[in-house]
Amino acid sequence: MKALGVLLAGGRGTRMGGTGPKALAMCAGRTLLDRAHATLAAICDDVVVVAPASMALPVAESVRVADGVEVSGPLAPMIAGLASRACDEAIVLAVDLPLLTPALLASLRVLRGPALALVPRPGGVPQPLAAWYDSRALEGLARSLASGERSVARAVQTLSPLWADDDELATLPGGLMAWLNVNSRDDLALAARRISSRTPA
């Protein structure tokens, strides 16, 4: 099955205290963008980066959405990425989850089975921007967007997703600690410490 990686990199990084896009923030010697791109490239046949048209990012394989689209949330950019390449399944990944590894995401892929979506739910919080989708999910997501929906979580719920909760996530590589969402300089520092403390394979 052909797998597509959709990397959402449109965050402006205002809460990070920096002057540039969140994707270019450094974490353990690499940008969040480079780290997430490498993670997806390790398990996908193709990777596309989705970002606003005016955002300067050092990537070629990108889908550029109109400025302002991301203000309504990540659903429209996510759909643009999913529609950009032919695939059998896709993983959508936000750029600010640097502790997720190829091994962890590959383990999630196996869990999906025939479901339209496999969505992790660490701590009971759905993570549709770190989830696997069947190619058929695109139609349902686009229908939700066309109806006026802007919440990714609510749009994904219409797919009757399979959820992966704490008991299951704890058994995967990296465990529950891997689900750190980086939204501040303190989060970046914590992620860097955890990455640095990993035992080399």
Side-chain angles (χ1 to χ4, degrees):
M1 293 181 69
K2 184 175 181 179
L4 172 67
V6 176
L7 178 55
L8 299 183
R12 298 290 181 180
T14 54
R15 287 187 290 172
M16 305 278 288
T19 58
K22 177 187 279 191
L24 299 184
M26 298 297 295
C27 183
R30 301 170 72 181
T31 64
L32 291 176
L33 176 66
D34 180 55
R35 189 172 293 282
H37 193 284
T39 295
L40 290 178
I43 57 171
C44 295
D45 301 288
D46 200 0
V47 178
V48 62
V49 178
V50 186
S54 64
M55 183 174 286
L57 294 176
V59 290
E61 66 284 17
S62 63
V63 171
R64 297 303 180 139
V65 295
D67 288 340
V69 168
E70 76 279 5
V71 175
S72 298
L75 180 58
M78 171 180 167
I79 289 171
L82 290 171
S84 68
R85 306 281 193 278
C87 66
D88 298 300
E89 61 182 343
I91 180 164
V92 173
L93 181 64
V95 77
D96 54 6
L97 292 161
L99 299 183
L100 299 185
T101 63
L104 188 156
L105 298 181
S107 296
L108 284 177
R109 183 183 192 179
V110 174
L111 297 177
R112 184 176 67 82
L116 287 181
L118 182 283
V119 182
R121 197 161 49 181
V125 180
Q127 296 287 344
L129 303 185
W132 282 95
Y133 298 89
D134 187 279
S135 60
R136 296 170 297 160
L138 176 59
E139 181 180 354
L141 293 171
R143 189 164 51 246
S144 290
L145 181 66
S147 73
E149 183 60 75
R150 293 298 178 266
S151 165
V152 173
R154 288 195 295 267
V156 169
Q157 283 183 334
T158 69
L159 303 176
S160 299
L162 185 64
W163 303 104
D165 290 308
D166 283 358
D167 55 348
E168 203 155 30
L169 296 176
T171 69
L172 303 184
L176 294 176
M177 289 179 62
W179 295 94
L180 173 66
N181 187 283
V182 172
N183 284 310
S184 68
R185 304 303 297 182
D186 287 345
D187 293 338
L188 260 181
L190 177 57
R193 289 196 299 272
R194 290 183 178 177
I195 290 169
S196 298
S197 69
R198 287 174 178 166
T199 302

